[in-house]
Amino acid sequence: MTEKERIAELVAELNQRAKEYYVLDQPSISDAEYDRLYQELVQLEEQFPEFILANSPTKRVGGVVLAGFEKVTHEIPLYSLSDVFSKEALYTFDTRIRKLTSQPFNYICELKIDGLSVSLRYQSGQFILGATRGDGTIGENITENLKTIQNIPLSITNPLNIEVRGEAYMPKQSFINLNEIRENEGQATFANPRNAAAGSLRQLDTKVTAKRNLATFMYQVAGVNIAPTQSETLETLSKLGFSTNHDYQVCESIDEVWAFIEKMAELRHQLPYEIDGIVIKVNQFAVQSEMGFTVKAPRWATAYKFPAEEVETVIESIDWPVGRTGVVTPTANLKPVQIAGTTVARATLHNVDNIKAKDIRLNDTVILYKAGDIIPAISHVLLDKRSADSEPLEIPSLCPVCQSPLIHLNDEVALRCINPMCQAQLKEQLAHFVSRNAMNIAGLGPRVIEQLYQHQLIKDVADLYQLKFDALINLDKIKEKSANNLLNAIEASKNNSVEKLIFGLGIRHIGAKVAKILAEHFGSLEGVMRADYESVAQIDGLGQAIAESLTTYFKNEQVQALIEQLKNCGLNFAYLGKKPASDSKFSGQTIVLTGKLEHYSRNELKSILESLGAQVTGSVSKKTDLVVAGEDAGSKLTKAESLEIPVINEAELLEKLAK
């Protein structure tokens, strides 16, 4: 089998396995086996980029940095729906429907996903364009961001020219995880999953979108009926490879519709995604066509909106817990109340700016809601119930754990403790250090970490490598086998490639991918530590915030002492991954790609050039060595010519590569 054939085989198999996992929820292979096949594909594509396929699953990781979003005109408008908010209004809708037709019909009730409407165009079965709803007539081209969503097929089983519409959303757990990360980084949190999904799909850096773990439910084909009814359309879309929501119901009467609404109002909090109502449609397309549209909305459909759920409670006290990155997140302890199906006794206050903006004080009576039906949050204070002797909340100036001064950086909304040896941070830091994407030390869960601290066996991550069998065997529920397994896992982690260690150190702004870029660029931890601000900031994809965070971190004397301890423990400090070639004519050159390319995408050419030791950047400067200009090259070409930087076309570049 040739490399080209093997790549095609792997793409087909991985796409099928991804469909089983993300669309059908019926995985047929283990995660480890999928990862093995995926890595084989990545390696083959790196060696033979000329064989990369447009529907390769490696396209889903992002990497394209967009200059902006082009406008897209919808050939068939995306209509909005009329809303109803009560049982009476729903029954009025039914009466109106029955006056519009004498044909027999039934209703279909679908969950109203609280996300962002999207439209997907396929040509000969290949995904070619994705757009937002916009104003219904003109949206924005977000194709590259939509490609990162795992349950959007990059190709469909039938070579159709088709436009499919639906909703992109952020699952509840992904929303919680994202806000935790943003709070730890001192960023403002998203108010709800819908805002988070919309913000994610409008990122200019598609790698950011890829990390957000979005998903879709598709429910409509624009301009053509692929089945006689909406319920059959959902089944057909599912067979084509799209994710459709199976929690719909066909109802023969408006009484059945109301019963479904009542049922889902009770069950909505158990769903892994957020819904804000139920969409009710006439199921038969022939009847829909007879009824037609008003100026703004279809006559044959409406949306029942669930009422907002809010409760009144009292703030009894406020805690100031310290997270892994030193961010202090104020949390209100409340008089327990029932909301959205659960008892709530705590609510995040997010940050000091939020407290000041809402003038939140101790013993205030407040209105509580669940942000996105998930995270308890305070809407506002009932000022008429505030006592006359109430005082503004005292904001701490010292870390509640280590008593170090708290700082409020200019670019953050958070209070932060910057003492790297703060005990509150160390516990969280250790949990991060041993996690799968960092040092991957299996067996060191939160319960074991807590015991290690209680028994004073560790005070920082370096102490992990000093643990002995006799100490571990005395911990609760640690037997001989688990103690040996843990020690073996700790020992094995010493041999990790250094990007695992860099990520595990928990440096602000340094995620797993940035850690790998740094390790690959500088070759070792010593190289990263010696790097100055300018040498980090100029690396493509990093920038000033990362450069400042990294250099500040390694200037700290306590950090330097920790690194020395880890070195003495025998940890590998070298990058063990594949390094770019250093002996090619492109090695060390800074190259800019601009304009439309005929034979390769920019990403494909970027990968080829980087494998030959070049640095491919997005902007032209005096440091640029070469510009490759395709058709319609604009300002970058003009700037290159003004700076007298060498410019070649794609054909000339391919000729150089062939040599």
Side-chain angles (χ1 to χ4, degrees):
M1 182 181 292
T2 65
E3 288 81 6
K4 182 178 181 180
E5 291 170 334
R6 179 56 177 162
I7 286 175
E9 182 180 65
L10 285 168
V11 167
E13 179 170 3
L14 286 167
N15 282 340
Q16 176 60 28
R17 302 309 178 198
K19 178 182 176 182
E20 293 167 351
Y21 185 91
Y22 291 104
V23 179
L24 304 178
D25 197 23
Q26 297 174 347
S28 61
I29 61 173
S30 67
D31 289 352
E33 177 63 11
Y34 182 92
D35 291 342
R36 185 189 68 77
L37 294 172
Y38 185 88
Q39 288 306 315
E40 181 185 351
L41 177 62
V42 169
Q43 292 170 10
L44 283 170
E45 289 182 342
E46 287 177 351
Q47 295 174 38
F48 304 98
E50 66 272 22
F51 299 144
I52 295 175
L53 298 175
N55 64 334
S56 171
T58 60
K59 298 284 187 181
R60 296 191 183 277
V61 300
V64 178
V65 178
L66 307 172
F69 294 102
E70 300 173 352
K71 299 297 182 183
V72 173
T73 300
H74 298 296
E75 296 177 5
I76 301 170
L78 281 81
Y79 285 89
S80 57
L81 294 175
S82 61
D83 295 328
V84 295
F85 298 92
S86 66
K87 182 178 180 180
E88 292 73 24
L90 180 67
Y91 277 69
T92 299
F93 164 77
D94 176 64
T95 301
R96 186 169 61 249
I97 287 289
R98 297 188 182 280
K99 289 179 179 178
L100 291 172
T101 184
S102 58
Q103 297 186 60
F105 70 89
N106 51 27
Y107 289 115
I108 181 171
C109 297
E110 299 174 68
L111 305 188
K112 189 175 183 298
I113 310 300
D114 198 12
L116 184 75
S117 294
V118 294
S119 181
L120 314 177
R121 292 185 195 173
Y122 289 80
Q123 184 172 317
S124 300
Q126 302 298 313
F127 178 43
I128 61 165
L129 177 68
T132 62
R133 178 187 182 279
D135 62 4
T137 302
I138 298 176
E140 291 180 315
N141 184 337
I142 54 169
T143 307
E144 295 302 324
N145 282 333
L146 288 170
K147 284 180 180 178
T148 69
I149 299 179
Q150 293 286 353
N151 71 352
I152 290 180
L154 301 180
S155 60
I156 55 178
T157 52
N158 194 320
L160 296 170
N161 296 331
I162 194 172
E163 182 176 339
V164 182
R165 293 172 176 176
E167 203 81 6
Y169 67 94
M170 180 172 286
K172 290 179 178 178
Q173 189 57 52
S174 300
F175 173 68
I176 293 169
N177 295 342
L178 174 61
N179 269 353
E180 286 179 352
I181 292 170
R182 291 179 70 84
E183 278 197 337
N184 284 335
E185 293 181 349
Q187 301 181 60
T189 54
F190 286 107
N192 53 59
R194 186 190 184 284
N195 287 357
S200 299
L201 283 174
R202 299 199 77 260
Q203 291 290 327
L204 294 178
D205 184 351
T206 58
K207 286 183 179 179
V208 176
T209 309
K211 294 177 183 178
R212 298 284 175 84
N213 193 32
L214 301 178
T216 59
F217 283 128
M218 309 311 292
Y219 53 75
Q220 181 186 9
V221 179
V224 62
N225 294 333
I226 58 174
T229 65
Q230 172 65 12
S231 55
E232 292 169 283
T233 296
L234 293 174
E235 294 174 9
T236 304
L237 285 173
S238 182
K239 290 175 183 177
L240 287 172
F242 297 96
S243 284
T244 58
N245 194 308
H246 301 296
D247 287 326
Y248 66 85
Q249 182 171 309
V250 175
C251 301
E252 298 302 326
S253 68
I254 200 67
D255 290 333
E256 287 185 28
V257 170
W258 182 250
F260 180 77
I261 289 172
E262 289 186 310
K263 181 179 78 171
M264 293 314 304
E266 292 293 323
L267 297 177
R268 60 185 285 212
H269 306 301
Q270 301 174 26
L271 296 171
Y273 45 84
E274 185 183 358
I275 65 173
D276 61 353
I278 303 294
V279 175
I280 303 100
K281 304 173 185 173
V282 169
N283 194 25
Q284 288 72 19
F285 290 139
V287 182
Q288 289 185 12
S289 179
E290 178 189 1
M291 294 179 180
F293 296 79
T294 67
V295 175
K296 295 182 179 180
R299 292 189 175 93
W300 40 264
T302 193
Y304 176 85
K305 300 292 287 289
F306 292 132
E309 191 169 358
E310 297 180 336
V311 296
E312 186 178 306
T313 187
V314 176
I315 297 177
E316 296 181 335
S317 63
I318 293 175
D319 295 332
W320 299 84
V322 184
R324 174 178 63 83
T325 59
V327 170
V328 179
T329 306
T331 303
N333 296 305
L334 309 168
K335 181 180 179 180
V337 287
Q338 278 278 326
I339 184 171
T342 58
T343 300
V344 174
R346 288 168 65 83
T348 178
L349 299 179
H350 297 299
N351 52 66
V352 173
D353 289 358
N354 180 62
I355 290 173
K356 291 179 178 178
K358 295 179 179 178
D359 190 20
I360 295 171
R361 306 182 184 185
L362 280 176
N363 301 314
D364 269 347
T365 300
V366 296
I367 295 298
L368 184 73
Y369 71 104
K370 276 197 172 181
D373 278 344
I374 305 166
I375 301 172
I378 289 172
S379 168
H380 59 277
V381 176
L382 298 177
L383 296 176
D384 58 336
K385 295 190 176 184
R386 175 178 283 171
S387 62
D389 59 353
S390 175
E391 295 285 342
L393 194 64
E394 184 177 348
I395 306 300
S397 58
L398 299 178
C399 172
V401 177
C402 70
Q403 300 303 302
S404 297
L406 295 175
I407 61 171
H408 198 162
L409 300 176
N410 291 333
D411 63 336
E412 291 188 344
V413 296
L415 279 177
R416 185 183 291 275
C417 171
I418 60 172
N419 175 13
M421 303 308 290
C422 173
Q423 287 298 308
Q425 295 178 63
L426 286 172
K427 285 186 185 180
E428 296 293 329
Q429 167 61 28
L430 185 55
H432 172 73
F433 186 84
V434 305
S435 64
R436 182 178 179 182
N437 289 331
M439 298 302 282
N440 193 21
I441 302 178
L444 262 180
R447 182 179 59 82
V448 177
I449 290 173
E450 185 62 37
Q451 288 191 75
L452 292 174
Y453 271 98
Q454 288 177 356
H455 287 75
Q456 298 183 340
L457 295 174
I458 53 174
K459 64 180 185 299
D460 58 38
V461 296
D463 288 337
L464 280 175
Y465 297 94
Q466 306 296 334
L467 290 174
K468 305 297 182 187
F469 178 86
D470 291 343
L472 290 176
I473 202 71
N474 289 324
L475 300 180
D476 182 41
K477 296 183 179 180
I478 298 291
K479 306 299 182 184
E480 181 176 340
K481 183 178 180 180
S482 55
N484 281 322
N485 287 343
L486 181 53
L487 290 172
N488 290 336
I490 291 172
E491 186 64 26
S493 74
K494 293 180 180 180
N495 300 317
N496 289 336
S497 186
V498 74
E499 67 270 19
K500 294 275 191 179
L501 175 58
I502 295 172
F503 175 56
L505 290 172
I507 309 166
R508 184 178 172 230
H509 296 318
I510 310 299
K513 290 185 178 179
V514 171
K516 185 175 181 182
I517 291 171
L518 291 166
E520 186 178 63
H521 186 87
F522 294 107
S524 68
L525 183 59
E526 291 92 344
V528 174
M529 292 178 70
R530 288 194 300 267
D532 58 20
Y533 175 92
E534 287 75 18
S535 62
V536 176
Q538 71 181 5
I539 298 174
D540 187 32
L542 300 194
Q544 298 179 359
I546 289 173
E548 182 179 6
S549 176
L550 191 78
T551 52
T552 300
Y553 179 82
F554 284 118
K555 285 178 184 177
N556 188 291
E557 293 182 0
Q558 291 169 305
V559 169
Q560 294 171 9
L562 175 64
I563 300 300
E564 188 64 27
Q565 289 181 61
L566 293 173
K567 184 176 183 180
N568 293 336
C569 290
L571 273 70
N572 171 61
F573 278 14
Y575 176 60
L576 304 179
K578 183 179 178 182
K579 297 180 180 178
S582 58
D583 56 353
S584 81
K585 67 177 66 179
F586 296 102
S587 180
Q589 288 199 348
T590 299
I591 300 176
V592 172
L593 306 175
T594 184
K596 296 179 181 178
L597 303 176
E598 180 180 356
H599 299 286
Y600 290 93
S601 70
R602 288 193 198 178
N603 266 352
E604 290 166 349
L605 270 186
K606 180 180 178 182
S607 296
I608 295 171
L609 291 167
E610 287 179 341
S611 72
L612 296 172
Q615 180 182 351
V616 181
T617 64
S619 58
V620 176
S621 70
K622 292 180 180 179
K623 296 181 180 179
T624 303
D625 297 301
L626 179 68
V627 171
V628 180
E631 292 183 14
D632 300 324
S635 59
K636 293 178 185 177
L637 175 59
T638 303
K639 186 172 183 180
E641 291 171 340
S642 68
L643 294 173
E644 299 183 348
I645 294 168
V647 178
I648 62 174
N649 59 32
E650 184 182 6
E652 291 171 314
L653 175 64
L654 296 181
E655 185 178 344
K656 289 178 180 288
L657 290 171
K659 294 179 181 179

